[in-house]
Amino acid sequence: MKTGDQKKFCPNCGKPIEEGKAFCGNCGKKVGIKNDKRQPQKIVQNVTPKRVQAQKLPGKKSSVGKIIGICVLLLLVGGITGFYFYNQHNDSAAIVAKQKKSGKKNDLNINKKKATKKSSSKKDDSKLLWMLMGYMAYARKNYEESQNVSSTSELVDAVVKDFKDGTLTATQNSESAYTVSNSYGDVDVTVKPSEVKVTNDGTTVTSKSDLKQTFNKYTAKMAPVVKKISSSISKSSNTAKSKKTSKDSKNKADFSDEEMVVAAYIDNADGNTPQDKINTIKSILEKDNNSDGDQIPTDDYLSGVYTGSYQGKSYYSIASNLSTSHYEVIYLNGDSDQCATQAVAPGMGLDEESNKKSRSKKDLINKYKAYKQDLDEILNQLKDNKSRMSAIKDEINKKADDNSKSDNSDHDSDSNSSNQDEDTDVDY
């Protein structure tokens, strides 16, 4: 045995144990040997699980962290997506609601406009009906004499027929003023709150209560004429509106329609220059204004500016006598540069084209634009003469009656004197 080696003994029987043996050779008891070759294995077995566990724990923590991170990320993405679609839905709902609200508002406005237009249309038709009844009251005597009309029913039938076949036409001058025309001339009809006034050679005023009492039960017969006139007025109004812009844009210095009518009328007067022609017309008007009624020549009185239509064409006219049977027609022909004048008198109607004269509006404007003030003075005087015409005619008729009575009285006196002379001769 080497020095330093320690002998090992069995703790059970005390016998020496051979080196490297795990059991006592004497009693067979198992003895623990610290330097045993398996000791390191035991130590390794005890340590290895701890190391393995320690090495695996970080991996588990890392996986859990990743899972948690992914879940958080998914929640964030889901939340953002949900918030986005929620806002989109709300915005869409708000837009739809706004559109519906706007649509309802527009519908209300449209319905309101329709109701206003319908109400206005009914109001206009009501005025047209009053205008028609007022005209019939005025024209009754003429129809009785010319067409042997003997009742209100026959009068309504005759007037309705004339409007339907175009013998009579009506144009609107303002909201309540109209002109009724035929081939012989025209009359102005004004619908007032309680009466209807008709002006032509004289003035006829009829209360609405009287018109209603006379014509109320014939309104169904008059309805087609009212509809026709309303449609005609509506078309002419729309045409006038559409033309107005282009007409105004051409030349703001252009004459008004009435000024153009006066210029065309003056241009046919006697005289070599525009001023000479203007002076000719002014001299007639001056004589009309400075003379008493019985001194005004019936065939030399400029009795106003009138409007009318013939075969669908509207025209203006200026009458040159108190009876308005002599007048000159002026066709302005809308936006056309050409206008035309035509003389009309008994036996010479609007259907005769031979006495028509055409001329350029532009030339007339250039010719008389320096005399625009004179044109306006003449136009105002024509309007004034038209308003005075009825009173002048009444004065003429009154003086004519007085003269007739005076002549009859003188004739009776001469007759009595002659009879006395004859008696005296017989006595002798």
Side-chain angles (χ1 to χ4, degrees):
M1 182 177 296
K2 294 179 181 181
T3 304
D5 289 344
Q6 292 182 355
K7 189 107 174 151
K8 296 181 182 179
F9 298 92
C10 175
N12 183 41
C13 64
K15 295 293 183 182
I17 299 173
E18 292 181 6
E19 186 177 358
K21 299 290 185 179
F23 298 93
C24 178
N26 180 48
C27 63
K29 185 173 176 64
K30 184 178 180 179
V31 294
I33 299 173
K34 291 181 181 181
N35 295 327
D36 182 299
K37 289 182 180 180
R38 291 178 295 179
Q39 187 69 22
Q41 295 176 351
K42 187 175 181 181
I43 292 171
V44 170
Q45 289 176 354
N46 290 338
V47 173
T48 300
K50 292 181 181 178
R51 287 179 180 174
V52 170
Q53 188 177 10
Q55 290 171 355
K56 288 183 179 180
L57 281 176
K60 289 182 180 180
K61 288 181 180 180
S62 176
S63 298
V64 171
K66 288 180 180 179
I67 293 170
I68 292 172
I70 291 170
C71 291
V72 171
L73 182 62
L74 289 174
L75 287 173
L76 286 172
V77 171
I80 292 170
T81 304
F83 181 74
Y84 172 78
F85 283 108
Y86 174 78
N87 283 342
Q88 286 289 98
H89 173 73
N90 283 349
D91 290 344
S92 299
I95 291 170
V96 171
K98 187 175 181 180
Q99 288 175 344
K100 286 183 177 179
K101 186 175 180 181
S102 177
K104 288 181 180 178
K105 189 174 181 181
N106 289 338
D107 289 344
L108 289 173
N109 289 337
I110 290 169
N111 292 334
K112 187 176 180 181
K113 287 179 181 178
K114 285 182 178 178
T116 303
K117 188 175 181 181
K118 190 174 181 181
S119 174
S120 177
S121 176
K122 285 184 177 179
K123 187 177 179 181
D124 291 342
D125 286 352
S126 175
K127 287 183 178 179
L128 284 171
L129 186 60
W130 285 119
M131 179 275 291
L132 191 57
M133 291 190 291
Y135 174 77
M136 287 191 291
Y138 155 81
R140 183 168 201 137
K141 187 175 180 180
N142 291 336
Y143 276 88
E144 287 174 349
E145 293 176 353
S146 62
Q147 298 190 29
N148 296 322
V149 167
S150 59
S151 67
T152 301
S153 178
E154 289 178 355
L155 171 64
V156 173
D157 289 339
V159 173
V160 167
K161 177 181 177 298
D162 283 349
F163 270 104
K164 283 184 175 181
D165 64 20
T167 302
L168 283 172
T169 59
T171 55
Q172 187 174 26
N173 304 322
S174 66
E175 186 179 352
S176 301
Y178 307 85
T179 297
V180 178
S181 308
N182 60 19
S183 59
Y184 299 102
D186 46 49
V187 296
D188 296 325
V189 185
T190 304
V191 179
K192 295 188 173 183
S194 60
E195 63 188 22
V196 178
K197 183 175 76 171
V198 181
T199 306
N200 185 16
D201 295 344
T203 301
T204 302
V205 179
T206 311
S207 68
K208 285 186 174 180
S209 58
D210 288 346
L211 291 174
K212 188 175 181 180
Q213 184 177 358
T214 304
F215 297 105
N216 193 47
K217 61 182 178 180
Y218 304 105
T219 53
K221 287 185 177 181
M222 291 183 272
V225 173
V226 170
K227 186 176 180 181
K228 180 180 180 181
I229 296 172
S230 178
S231 176
S232 174
I233 289 173
S234 177
K235 285 180 181 178
S236 62
S237 176
N238 290 335
T239 302
K241 286 179 181 178
S242 65
K243 290 180 178 179
K244 187 176 185 299
T245 303
S246 60
K247 183 178 179 180
D248 289 346
S249 63
K250 284 181 180 179
N251 190 347
K252 291 185 178 180
D254 284 0
F255 292 168
S256 68
D257 284 351
E258 288 183 331
E259 288 171 336
M260 182 66 73
V261 167
V262 173
Y265 181 78
I266 290 172
D267 204 49
N268 283 339
D270 293 335
N272 296 321
T273 67
Q275 189 64 66
D276 291 341
K277 293 174 181 291
I278 289 170
N279 290 340
T280 298
I281 300 301
K282 281 189 172 182
S283 65
I284 297 173
L285 291 170
E286 185 177 0
K287 181 174 59 178
D288 294 342
N289 291 328
N290 296 331
S291 302
D292 294 332
D294 60 340
Q295 296 177 337
I296 294 177
T298 57
D299 288 333
D300 196 12
Y301 181 81
L302 303 183
S303 59
V305 179
Y306 301 85
T307 58
S309 65
Y310 178 69
Q311 295 182 345
K313 295 181 66 176
S314 60
Y315 64 78
Y316 287 84
S317 63
I318 295 179
S320 58
N321 67 350
L322 284 170
S323 66
T324 67
S325 58
H326 292 78
Y327 56 99
E328 189 163 309
V329 171
I330 299 95
Y331 296 95
L332 294 184
N333 298 324
D335 283 342
S336 169
D337 179 59
Q338 293 295 309
C339 64
T341 59
Q342 180 182 16
V344 178
M348 188 167 57
L350 289 167
D351 55 338
E352 295 185 16
E353 299 287 329
S354 59
N355 58 343
K356 267 190 179 182
K357 295 180 182 179
S358 294
R359 62 199 66 202
S360 166
K361 293 179 186 176
K362 184 178 179 180
D363 290 344
L364 278 174
I365 292 171
N366 289 334
K367 190 173 183 178
Y368 289 98
K369 64 183 179 182
Y371 306 95
K372 194 171 186 295
Q373 185 174 348
D374 292 303
L375 298 186
D376 290 335
E377 289 177 4
I378 290 172
L379 177 60
N380 290 332
Q381 189 59 63
L382 286 170
K383 291 179 178 179
D384 186 57
N385 276 11
K386 185 176 180 180
S387 67
R388 294 170 56 237
M389 188 170 64
S390 179
I392 292 171
K393 288 177 68 175
D394 289 343
E395 186 177 351
I396 291 173
N397 291 334
K398 182 180 177 182
K399 291 193 175 184
D401 288 341
D402 292 342
N403 291 336
S404 178
K405 289 177 182 178
S406 177
D407 290 342
N408 289 335
S409 176
D410 291 342
H411 177 71
D412 291 340
S413 176
D414 292 341
S415 178
N416 291 333
S417 175
S418 176
N419 289 333
Q420 289 176 0
D421 291 341
E422 289 176 0
D423 291 340
T424 303
D425 290 340
V426 170
D427 291 339
Y428 280 104

